[in-house]
């Protein structure tokens, strides 16, 4: 059984995940001892996640000693439980070890390869023209879906007309012998979700506006998203078949929000279409291609492939199925790819008509089989020659992601400690699932009795007690109510397991009542609120300020004392007065994102939530640290 516990994450170490930004060049982070005398032994390296047993071994301690420290931190764990780096570090510190976070040199190198390939693909001098990738946006009911369907059905070449079209999240059509790729999830949620993950899949955005309805709230929102992504825009004025259609009004309304039609001297092409009557569709495609030509969309097909995941799912028969958009290079059957936290060798590739492919060139959407797990939409992917490198990278990323989840999980025993400290919910909430209703009653009673047995511990309450396996609905309830799930002789189904992982919900399993009660009791007594205090990491002085094109201000700083870290909290001091408190948005040395900058060095710094930085301001960097209770 694997149980996952953590303590409050003291910092904001951000696991690499998708783009691996902010990976320190050095790779290791040294952590000073909280207290205690001189140490003669070497600091010990710890991974981002490890089991209690492994930690004990690394610290040359017995599992009982380690578990004892964890209980002091308010965690009920067994030897197989997984704990995150911050927790392990705290235990190590209590046992007088200095620690640093391990990041293997191989993984750092692989992460760099990944980044380099994405960058290379972006700016390749030998590039050749590639088809544009189009996203359709607009207000609900203005005809986005209909337009996607009509374009697709009108442009399936002769002979293929009977071909079965598949929904794979994207499709390609041909017009005048040229291809156009459409992402067929309409709406800007998908578009913004991709952008949020750093992926830019769209070359041309088509804004659909119904000619009878005009500009609506979502139209305006879509324009804002398209503008901020700096994606070229084409307006499709739809439903011109309707008698009530008023395309001139649409132009008028859009021009008011600075979407100026070309015919009025602006730079936005407008095309009148009827998705239902299939009118104007060729014109729309022509305009899209014209816009694409103006923007000289290029890629080099003679390279290993890079691209982005469009959508992914688990298919009960075929395993993980992902639709990816090849953006650079050519993707081949049997290629080894890394996408987000997963990897695999491509076993089969299909196009949007379900035809088997051996290769896919830039701007081609393909469905691939062979990934060992499901990536997320928006994850960039890169082909690796070396299978081991790919696997190591994906594994390291998924470990980091797990650590990140542990760090921000909603339902943690230690979180409850903090609530107790705040004098609010001094309650350990439990969702109990058991195999037969007989044991359910017995366990519920025994658990509730603990409230009397441990009078000065936290109060335990049962959010839900039910017979049967652990379901996704249980996990959702746990997440919503801040409960821990306890399973007695029952297991979660796949959906529940995934949901628990995604939401960071703890599920604990037992098959002996005594163990269950005993561990919960330990948790209730161990749930002592930790005490926190602020510890200063360092000071910096603002020596210059720069305004970025987006309006944000970054400061050129000099670190005067200690060190400053991206995970630190910051106080902005002007003549000794605290002007602002918050966190670091960006920390750079030259052009590189860094985790830390030490005394005597200069750095570029952006603050999260304020641009009020002035030359001469002082910045105090600090973190909150848990102090041991006596
Ligand atoms: P979405 O919400 O933007 O995806 O809109 P849909 O594609 O689902 O279309 C909404 C409604 O408008 C449906 O009933 C369509 O049949 C209808 N519709 C879409 N395009 C046209 C068109 O060009 N003319 C007319 N008259 N109706 C259309």
């Amino acid at each position: 059984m694997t149980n996952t516990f953590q303590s409050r994450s003291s910092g904001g170490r951000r696991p690499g995940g998708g783009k691996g930004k902010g990976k320190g060049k050095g790779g290791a982070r040294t952590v000073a001892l909280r207290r205690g005398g001189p140490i003669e032994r070497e600091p010990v390296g710890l991974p981002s996640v490890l089991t209690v047993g492994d930690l004990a071994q690394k610290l040359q301690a017995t599992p009982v000693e380690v578990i004892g420290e964890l209980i002091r931190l308010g965690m009920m764990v067994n030897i197989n439980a997984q704990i995150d780096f911050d927790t392990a570090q705290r235990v190590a510190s209590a046992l007088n070890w200095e620690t640093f976070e391990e990041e293997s040199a191989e993984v750092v190198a692989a992460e760099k390869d990944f980044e380099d390939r994405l960058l290379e693909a972006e700016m390749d001098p030998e590039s050749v023209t590639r088809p544009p990738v189009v996203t359709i946006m607009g207000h609900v009911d203005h005809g986005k879906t209909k337009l996607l369907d009509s374009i697709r059905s009108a442009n399936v070449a002769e002979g293929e007309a009977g071909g079965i079209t598949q929904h794979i999240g994207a499709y390609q059509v041909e017009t005048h012998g040229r291809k156009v790729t459409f992402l067929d999830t309409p709406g800007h949620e998908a578009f913004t979700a991709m952008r949020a993950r750093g992926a830019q899949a769209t070359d041309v955005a088509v804004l659909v506006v119904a000619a009878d309805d005009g500009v609506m709230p979502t139209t305006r929102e879509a324009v804002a998203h398209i503008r901020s992504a700096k994606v070229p825009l084409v307006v499709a004025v739809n439903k011109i078949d309707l008698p009530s259609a008023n395309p001139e009004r649409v132009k008028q309304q859009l021009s008011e929000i600075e979407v100026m039609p070309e015919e009025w001297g602006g730079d936005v092409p407008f095309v009148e279409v009827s998705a239902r009557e299939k009118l104007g569709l060729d014109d729309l495609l022509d305009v899209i291609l014209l816009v694409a030509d103006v923007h000289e969309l290029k890629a080099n097909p003679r390279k290993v492939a890079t691209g982005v995941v469009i959508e992914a799912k688990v298919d009960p028969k075929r395993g993980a199925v992902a639709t990816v958009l090849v953006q650079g290079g050519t993707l081949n059957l049997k290629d080894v790819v890394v996408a987000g936290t997963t990897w695999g060798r491509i076993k089969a590739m299909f196009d949007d008509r379900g035809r088997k492919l051996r290769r896919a060139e830039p701007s081609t959407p393909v469905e691939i089989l062979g990934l060992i797990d499901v990536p997320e939409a928006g994850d960039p992917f890169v082909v690796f020659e070396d299978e081991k490198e790919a696997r190591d990278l994906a594994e390291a990323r998924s470990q980091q992601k797990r650590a990140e989840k542990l760090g921000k999980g909603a339902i943690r025993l230690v979180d409850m400690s903090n609530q107790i400290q705040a004098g609010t919910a001094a309650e350990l909430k439990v969702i109990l699932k058991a195999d037969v209703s007989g044991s359910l009653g017995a366990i519920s009673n025994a658990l509730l009795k603990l409230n009397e047995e441990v009078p000065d511990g936290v109060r335990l309450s049962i959010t839900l007690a039910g017979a049967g396996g652990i379901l996704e609905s249980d996990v959702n309830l746990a997440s919503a109510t801040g409960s821990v799930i306890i399973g007695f002789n029952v297991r979660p189904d796949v959906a529940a397991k995934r949901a628990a992982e995604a939401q960071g919900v703890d599920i604990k399993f037992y098959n002996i009542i005594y163990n269950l009660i005993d561990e919960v009791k330990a948790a209730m007594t161990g749930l002592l609120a930790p005490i926190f205090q602020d510890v200063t990491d360092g000071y910096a002085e603002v020596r210059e300020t720069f305004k970025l094109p987006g309006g944000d201000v970054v400061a050129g700083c000099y670190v005067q004392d200690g060190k400053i870290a991206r995970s630190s909290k910051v106080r902005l001091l002007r003549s000794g007065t605290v002007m602002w408190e918050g966190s670091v948005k960006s920390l750079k040395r030259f052009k590189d994102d860094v985790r830390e900058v030490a005394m005597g060095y200069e750095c570029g710094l952006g603050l999260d939530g304020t641009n009020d930085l002035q030359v001469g301001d002082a910045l105090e960097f600090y973190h909150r640290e848990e102090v041991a209770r006596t």
Side-chain angles (χ1 to χ4, degrees), residues 136-150 186-187 208 210 212 237-243 273-279:
I136 294 195
M137 294 193 241
H139 195 71
V140 65
D141 277 348
H142 280 199
K144 299 180 292 290
T145 313
K146 189 85 191 158
L147 187 61
L148 279 162
D149 289 349
S150 297
V208 177
D212 61 330
V237 182
N238 190 29
K239 305 198 188 183
I240 51 152
D241 57 289
L242 292 176
V273 299
S274 165
R276 194 163 77 182
E277 304 300 327
K278 297 199 165 77
L279 296 172

Side-chain angles (χ1 to χ4, degrees), residues 61-78:
T62 63
V64 174
E65 283 175 282
V66 170
I67 290 170
E69 289 301 330
L70 285 165
I71 287 175
R72 229 158 284 165
L73 292 172
M75 281 170 259
M76 55 171 190
V77 289
N78 66 21

Side-chain angles (χ1 to χ4, degrees), residues 142 207-216 219 235-238 240 244-257 259 261 264 270-272:
H142 280 199
L207 179 69
V208 177
V209 187
D212 61 330
D213 205 20
V215 169
M216 298 302 278
T219 320
V235 174
V237 182
N238 190 29
I240 51 152
S244 54
N246 187 349
E248 289 308 306
R249 189 172 67 119
V250 174
K251 281 182 204 155
Q252 181 61 44
Q253 290 174 327
L254 281 173
S255 68
E256 281 161 20
I257 53 171
V259 177
W264 293 5
F270 277 55
V271 186
E272 294 182 9

Side-chain angles (χ1 to χ4, degrees), residues 193-476:
M194 288 247 179
R195 277 192 75 212
R197 317 215 59 231
Q200 176 88 286
T202 304
D203 300 311
V204 180
V206 171
L207 179 69
V208 177
V209 187
D212 61 330
D213 205 20
V215 169
M216 298 302 278
T218 321
T219 320
R220 285 193 202 96
E221 254 177 66
V223 170
H225 287 300
I226 295 165
R227 292 297 196 211
S228 82
K230 300 196 171 65
V231 172
L233 167 64
V234 173
V235 174
V237 182
N238 190 29
K239 305 198 188 183
I240 51 152
D241 57 289
L242 292 176
S244 54
N246 187 349
E248 289 308 306
R249 189 172 67 119
V250 174
K251 281 182 204 155
Q252 181 61 44
Q253 290 174 327
L254 281 173
S255 68
E256 281 161 20
I257 53 171
E258 277 153 53
V259 177
M260 193 60 76
E262 272 178 344
E263 50 181 296
W264 293 5
D267 60 353
V268 183
F270 277 55
V271 186
E272 294 182 9
V273 299
S274 165
R276 194 163 77 182
E277 304 300 327
K278 297 199 165 77
L279 296 172
L281 303 185
D282 284 342
D283 295 344
L284 180 60
L285 289 174
D286 288 347
V287 167
I288 290 170
L289 284 169
L290 267 174
V291 171
D293 288 343
V294 170
H295 287 82
E296 297 189 6
L297 306 172
K298 298 206 155 151
N300 185 351
R302 288 175 299 279
K303 284 219 153 151
V304 294
T306 57
V308 62
V309 175
I310 302 295
E311 61 175 48
K313 60 175 190 239
V314 192
D315 183 295
K317 293 207 188 81
R318 305 189 293 170
V321 181
T323 297
V324 300
L325 177 71
V326 180
Q327 293 179 299
T330 297
L331 187 62
N332 293 293
L333 206 60
K334 305 227 166 76
D335 275 349
V336 172
V337 297
V338 174
T341 57
T342 185
W343 74 284
R345 187 180 285 279
I346 299 180
K347 282 196 299 204
M349 260 196 313
F350 303 93
D351 70 5
D352 54 299
R353 278 168 229 157
R355 294 176 302 200
K356 279 201 165 176
L357 295 184
R358 299 195 64 81
R359 53 200 347 262
E361 297 206 327
S363 295
T364 312
V366 279
E367 194 178 60
I368 59 171
L369 305 187
L371 293 177
I372 62 156
D373 202 353
V374 186
E376 284 181 52
D379 278 340
F381 80 83
V382 161
V383 166
F384 277 74
E385 287 87 12
D386 184 25
E387 184 168 325
K388 186 176 175 303
E389 189 181 11
R391 186 179 48 224
D392 287 353
L393 178 59
E395 276 170 8
R397 283 177 172 186
S398 65
Q399 269 210 352
Q400 285 216 317
K401 195 161 164 192
R402 255 171 39 219
E404 182 186 31
K405 264 184 204 139
L406 294 178
K408 67 176 183 209
I411 302 88
R412 300 292 157 188
L413 295 181
V414 168
D415 286 349
M416 287 168 201
S417 302
N418 293 335
Q419 293 175 351
I420 297 158
Q421 187 186 27
T424 53
E427 217 179 0
L428 169 56
K429 295 185 192 157
V430 172
I431 290 180
L432 178 66
K433 298 294 297 256
D435 53 347
V436 285
S437 43
S439 51
L440 197 63
I443 298 167
S444 305
N445 287 336
L447 283 177
L448 290 171
K449 266 239 286 296
L450 289 176
N451 282 327
E452 291 147 43
E453 275 178 46
V454 197
D456 49 359
V458 262
R459 253 191 56 77
L460 179 143
S461 72
I462 295 179
T463 313
L464 171 84
I470 297 163
L471 307 174
E472 195 177 351
S473 56
D474 298 325
V475 174
N476 292 337

Side-chain angles (χ1 to χ4, degrees), residues 530-600:
I531 303 168
F532 288 95
Q533 69 181 27
D534 292 350
V535 179
T536 302
D537 301 323
Y539 289 92
E541 181 190 56
V542 176
R543 294 198 161 168
E544 282 170 287
T545 62
F546 308 91
K547 195 158 183 174
L548 299 181
D552 280 353
V553 174
V554 292
C557 294
Y558 176 77
V559 182
Q560 296 165 306
D561 189 34
K563 66 173 189 206
I564 69 180
R566 201 147 44 112
S567 57
S568 301
K569 301 235 156 267
V570 199
R571 282 188 197 103
L572 174 64
L573 308 171
R574 195 167 294 155
S575 319
T577 311
V578 179
M579 307 295 292
W580 181 84
E581 267 182 277
S583 47
V584 178
K585 187 170 182 186
S586 62
L587 184 62
K588 286 184 193 271
R589 290 262 309 139
F590 303 102
K591 288 215 145 61
D592 295 330
D593 286 311
V594 291
R595 285 185 186 179
E596 288 184 359
V597 179
M599 182 168 125

